[in-house]
């Protein structure tokens, strides 16, 4: 379950289990982010105008046809994706890309930004061989039963007090849904994440991925509340994140001392 003002482009996740509380990161040991990700710079083109479409029945997100996008040269492809991210408040859905290679996925990533992360700290068995930019997430196992993808159990969704139906409204006691922005512990934080669904669970079986329009949420706040939030910083810790997930999913890897040293907690502006 994703959320944030940074970009996202599609995904999968499992269910169940309670989250054990962890102590917060030690504030004295974090560092403040001094560099920032590049802002979106949109230069509209004829291709962008014709390819970028609204998500049906939604004010949030934009849709760009996959094959049409891949047919464009790099500069036009970037212009289309940047315009779609801007118009869609950070969410772009790119359908009709079944069967593309990991290398094509990386190529699309470079159309969004100039630097593509190579997943430091992720075990090699959870990366595509020879394509470290692509991490595999899910519950896929090999013939011996060993996990071949990064897997984490999410707490169950809270239920609405009135209807009893599952709700996406955050419940601080359950710590669910797990709304987050990917890899906020990086300095600078990522500009966007590209998610490619290889296989999805059957409808109704769980594993849904949801996206939230944080631009609309921020705009809905009154001026005083927005000013209060602008003064705050969130301490984001890679080690804390992995330790928290490991408590409900013991197969989830903990950081080594070397990785903890390479990725100290950072304070991000809210």
């Amino acid at each position: 379950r994703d959320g944030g003002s940074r970009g996202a482009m599609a995904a999968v996740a499992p269910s169940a289990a309670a989250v054990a509380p962890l102590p917060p990161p030690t504030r004295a040991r974090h560092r403040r982010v001094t560099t920032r990700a590049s802002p979106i710079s949109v230069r509209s083109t004829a291709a962008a105008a014709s390819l970028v479409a609204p998500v049906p029945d939604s004010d949030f997100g934009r849709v760009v046809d996959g094959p049409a996008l891949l047919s464009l040269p790099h500069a036009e492809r970037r212009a289309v994706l940047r315009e779609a991210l801007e118009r869609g408040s950070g969410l772009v859905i790119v359908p009709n890309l079944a069967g593309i290679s990991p290398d094509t996925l990386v190529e699309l990533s470079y159309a969004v930004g100039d630097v593509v992360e190579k997943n430091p700290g992720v075990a090699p068995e959870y990366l595509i061989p020879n394509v470290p930019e692509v991490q595999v997430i899910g519950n896929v196992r090999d013939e011996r039963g060993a996990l071949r993808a990064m897997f984490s159990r999410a707490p169950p969704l809270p239920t609405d007090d009135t209807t009893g139906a599952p709700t996406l409204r955050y419940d601080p006691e359950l710590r669910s849904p797990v709304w987050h922005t990917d890899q906020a512990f990086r300095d600078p934080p990522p500009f966007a994440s590209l998610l490619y669904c290889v296989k999805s669970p059957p409808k109704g079986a769980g594993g849904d991925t949801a996206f939230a329009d944080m631009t609309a949420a921020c705009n809905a706040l009154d001026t005083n509340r927005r000013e209060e939030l602008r003064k705050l910083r969130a301490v984001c810790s890679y080690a804390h994140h992995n330790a928290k997930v490991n408590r409900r999913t013991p197969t989830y890897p903990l950081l080594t001392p070397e990785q903890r040293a390479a990725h100290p907690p950072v304070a991000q502006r809210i």
Side-chain angles (χ1 to χ4, degrees), residues 49-65:
S50 63
L51 290 181
V52 178
V55 174
D57 304 316
S58 176
D59 294 329
F60 176 40
R62 288 295 183 270
V63 179
V64 176
D65 180 65

Side-chain angles (χ1 to χ4, degrees), residues 194-221:
L194 200 158
L195 308 171
Y196 179 65
C197 183
V198 177
K199 185 176 182 180
S200 61
K203 192 166 184 177
D208 294 335
T209 296
F211 297 90
D213 186 349
M214 298 304 292
T215 301
C218 182
N219 290 340
L221 298 173

Side-chain angles (χ1 to χ4, degrees), residues 128-221:
I128 296 292
N130 302 315
V131 192
E133 297 90 344
V134 182
Q135 177 183 344
V136 184
I137 301 172
N139 58 1
V140 178
R141 296 178 183 270
D142 63 19
E143 61 281 355
R144 297 168 299 156
L147 278 170
R148 302 304 299 170
M150 200 76 126
F151 171 72
S152 67
R153 294 188 179 278
L157 288 175
T159 54
D160 185 273
D161 292 338
T162 304
T163 66
T167 176
L168 292 176
R169 182 183 292 276
Y170 183 71
D171 184 320
E173 291 186 11
L174 292 176
R175 299 188 179 187
S176 176
V178 189
W179 290 110
H180 64 280
T181 293
D182 283 345
Q183 303 196 351
F185 59 84
R186 299 206 183 279
D187 178 9
F191 170 69
S193 299
L194 200 158
L195 308 171
Y196 179 65
C197 183
V198 177
K199 185 176 182 180
S200 61
K203 192 166 184 177
D208 294 335
T209 296
F211 297 90
D213 186 349
M214 298 304 292
T215 301
C218 182
N219 290 340
L221 298 173

Side-chain angles (χ1 to χ4, degrees), residues 26-156:
T26 305
R27 287 186 176 273
R29 296 172 58 194
H30 77 252
R31 59 198 172 99
R32 179 166 295 193
V33 173
T34 54
T35 52
R36 307 300 303 164
S38 329
I40 295 178
S41 176
V42 176
R43 187 182 59 164
S44 185
T45 65
S50 63
L51 290 181
V52 178
V55 174
D57 304 316
S58 176
D59 294 329
F60 176 40
R62 288 295 183 270
V63 179
V64 176
D65 180 65
L69 181 67
L70 289 178
S71 71
L72 298 175
H74 177 82
E76 284 193 59
R77 193 181 293 173
R78 170 166 291 192
V80 168
L81 289 174
R82 287 296 185 100
E83 179 153 337
L85 284 164
E86 172 76 1
R87 287 204 229 158
S89 296
L91 173 66
V92 180
I93 299 169
V94 186
N96 305 318
L97 287 179
I100 64 169
S101 69
D103 288 321
T104 301
L105 198 61
V106 175
E107 191 181 324
L108 277 173
S109 298
Y110 277 109
V112 179
D114 293 325
V115 177
V116 178
E117 186 59 75
K118 294 190 177 180
N119 294 299
V122 177
E125 59 265 32
Y126 301 148
L127 301 176
I128 296 292
N130 302 315
V131 192
E133 297 90 344
V134 182
Q135 177 183 344
V136 184
I137 301 172
N139 58 1
V140 178
R141 296 178 183 270
D142 63 19
E143 61 281 355
R144 297 168 299 156
L147 278 170
R148 302 304 299 170
M150 200 76 126
F151 171 72
S152 67
R153 294 188 179 278

